Amino acid sequence: MADYTPKPEHKFTFGLWTVGNIGRDPFGSPTRDAIGADYIVHKLAELGAYGVNLHDNDLVPIDATASERDKIVSGFKKALADTGLKVPMATTNLFSDPAFKDGAFTSPDARVRALAVQKTMNAMDLGAELGAKTYVFWGGREGAEVDAGSNAIEGLQHFREALNFLAEYSEDQGYGYKFALEPKPNEPRGDIYLPTVGSALGFIATLDKSELFGLNPEFAHETMAGLSFVHAVAQAIDARKLFHIDLNDQKMGRFDQDLRFGAENPKGAFFTVKLLEDSGYAGMRHFDAHALRTEDEAGVWAFAKGCMRTYLILKEKVARFNADTEIQAAIKHYKVQDATLEGLVKTYSKDNASKLKAHTFDREALGKRGPGLEHLDQLTMELLYGVR
Ligand code: GLT
Ligand code: MN
Ligand code: MN
């Protein structure tokens, strides 16, 4: 039996807002007491996590004075030093305060946009002070319910301006941040700008310092849009833009559930882990999820342990999949190779084009061939069900 004990080398991280979630929802009050940030640090270290991530206001209240801020931050730094826990990622809360009710970087009100940039510079200072190297932008309020007033084109232009400004600020300060945009289709806004991984990738190409920007895809968010998270992550990897990842789970077509990783769609979770492990992704495995609202504090830690343990179980399944001779033979059978034809279509030349035109294909045989996917998928499922 493999060892599924999480260790810092596995690079598991949680947000202060994840294990700190107090079980409030749009219809109900909190079901749990708030847990202090320093205590969370100690608990996560004890459970074998590598790091803890935060929004500015997860740690420092929005109305804290400078001396209150410094006191909180120095206490937090002590907890980090005592436990060895790291802060690999930081971000800004640009969604809770009523000032941001109609957007932050994309608000139609110039004063709100400037406030959002100012707040983010301060939050970047905080993240850098704690050692963060990845900075996430989740545009939770960057969207609209009414398209008559502030149009989506202006919103995107404002978004671009803000990100360009903040990338310059980071470079100017020598922070060395890599920025990760986190798409989501809706909630809390009716429609959020940059709703999917594909949209964010297209937008990144329009930024001044696009090399500093990548993706922070979230399992729940692509699933809410009815899309395949595995394919979204694959596209981010292909574009060399997978800078961070939010692992959780979600039923399709629901509100953002942020379920324990692997709790709902084990097959999707398996292929996500397979992508990360096989591609050599070296970044954090961040769990952006929270315990069910039904749970008490014990349930919170059971949730956190469960996320990490499931990842490690699936990682072992990936190794098993890659070493399974029957599965590998089925994959080999599926992927037909033809050195001559592959050579012809790999790069264009007049010669290759005319040889390809002259080639005769047995189209009927191609259409009749069974690739063996039922067999391959059943083998995969049997592996996941634990019988191989
Ligand atoms: C918020 C959201 C998450 C984002 C966080 C980062 S905050 O909880 O639901 O998906 O990753 O801002
Ligand atoms: Mn979410
Ligand atoms: Mn997220």
Side-chain angles (χ1 to χ4, degrees):
M1 176 65 98
D3 182 10
Y4 303 123
T5 312
K7 299 192 186 82
E9 74 209 41
H10 297 127
K11 301 278 165 70
F12 292 136
T13 63
F14 290 84
L16 280 180
W17 71 94
T18 64
V19 284
N21 180 287
I22 54 178
R24 183 171 31 220
D25 74 13
F27 302 94
S29 314
T31 58
R32 294 186 283 269
D33 293 335
I35 313 179
D38 300 359
Y39 176 67
I40 289 178
V41 167
H42 282 274
K43 246 350 243 193
L44 287 178
E46 187 187 308
L47 296 181
Y50 173 81
V52 63
N53 301 321
L54 48 91
H55 299 86
D56 47 357
N57 306 134
D58 295 342
L59 185 64
V60 182
I62 195 165
D63 49 6
T65 62
S67 69
E68 283 164 350
R69 175 214 187 264
D70 292 347
K71 193 163 170 246
I72 295 168
V73 173
S74 77
F76 189 66
K77 277 180 165 170
K78 184 175 182 313
L80 294 171
D82 290 349
T83 56
L85 214 70
K86 305 278 186 281
V87 177
M89 177 273 255
T91 182
T92 329
N93 185 326
L94 293 174
F95 43 89
S96 295
D97 194 86
F100 302 118
K101 63 190 174 188
D102 195 16
F105 300 141
T106 65
S107 166
D109 186 328
R111 297 164 301 177
V112 176
R113 292 199 298 277
L115 169 65
V117 173
Q118 183 205 57
K119 189 173 194 290
T120 304
M121 284 193 291
N122 289 329
M124 284 166 67
D125 299 344
L126 173 66
E129 188 178 343
L130 298 171
K133 287 284 168 223
T134 303
Y135 204 87
V136 163
F137 289 107
W138 173 62
R141 296 274 174 204
E142 314 293 11
E145 292 76 33
V146 176
D147 285 328
S150 66
N151 71 51
I153 287 191
E154 271 173 28
L156 290 174
Q157 285 165 349
H158 292 319
F159 213 155
R160 181 179 304 110
E161 258 169 37
L163 296 181
N164 285 340
F165 183 101
L166 292 164
E168 292 289 351
Y169 177 71
S170 170
E171 297 289 281
D172 211 14
Q173 298 293 312
Y175 289 160
Y177 277 125
K178 292 280 230 166
F179 300 100
L181 305 190
E182 181 178 343
K184 187 174 182 183
N186 59 275
E187 195 198 339
R189 299 312 297 268
D191 289 290
I192 297 179
Y193 301 141
L194 308 180
T196 63
V197 163
S199 337
L201 276 174
F203 183 72
I204 285 171
T206 72
L207 298 175
D208 287 348
K209 289 189 156 34
S210 61
E211 69 284 358
L212 295 181
F213 289 84
L215 265 294
N216 178 36
E218 174 171 318
F219 198 114
H221 298 175
E222 296 301 305
T223 308
M224 286 169 73
L227 299 173
S228 159
F229 183 63
V230 173
H231 292 194
V233 173
Q235 195 184 350
I237 290 174
D238 179 65
R240 300 187 200 293
K241 289 295 190 187
L242 187 68
F243 286 9
H244 199 262
I245 191 161
D246 277 4
L247 299 170
N248 58 15
D249 215 337
Q250 172 78 27
K251 278 188 207 275
M252 201 174 276
R254 306 284 163 101
F255 63 93
D256 188 21
Q257 294 177 298
D258 291 335
L259 299 168
R260 193 179 74 257
F261 180 58
E264 179 61 32
N265 176 357
K267 201 173 178 182
F270 169 72
F271 282 111
T272 299
V273 173
K274 187 166 188 312
L275 265 182
L276 296 181
E277 297 300 323
D278 289 353
S279 69
Y281 170 75
M284 298 299 130
R285 275 78 172 155
H286 175 69
F287 298 106
D288 187 15
H290 52 78
L292 298 168
R293 185 167 181 268
T294 52
E295 300 307 288
D296 61 4
E297 192 191 318
V300 170
W301 305 121
F303 145 82
K305 274 191 224 167
C307 287
M308 296 187 281
R309 188 172 160 82
T310 296
Y311 189 99
L312 293 175
I313 292 169
L314 292 175
K315 186 176 165 181
E316 192 223 350
K317 299 265 183 208
V318 168
R320 211 178 259 262
F321 181 99
N322 291 342
D324 187 311
T325 50
E326 209 180 333
I327 290 178
Q328 292 311 314
I331 293 175
K332 195 153 183 278
H333 169 78
Y334 174 49
K335 296 180 177 176
V336 179
Q337 296 189 320
D338 185 313
T340 312
L341 288 175
E342 283 173 57
L344 284 184
V345 294
K346 197 158 184 73
T347 19
Y348 177 81
S349 69
K350 283 195 189 307
D351 189 42
N352 280 350
S354 67
K355 280 185 181 146
L356 185 57
K357 273 191 169 172
H359 187 84
T360 310
F361 289 90
D362 186 349
R363 199 166 34 80
E364 207 177 319
L366 291 177
K368 282 201 168 132
R369 175 180 180 269
L373 284 176
E374 285 289 357
H375 175 59
L376 174 58
D377 193 57
Q378 178 65 19
L379 292 176
T380 308
M381 290 315 296
E382 291 191 9
L383 190 139
L384 290 180
Y385 288 138
V387 298
R388 58 181 303 123

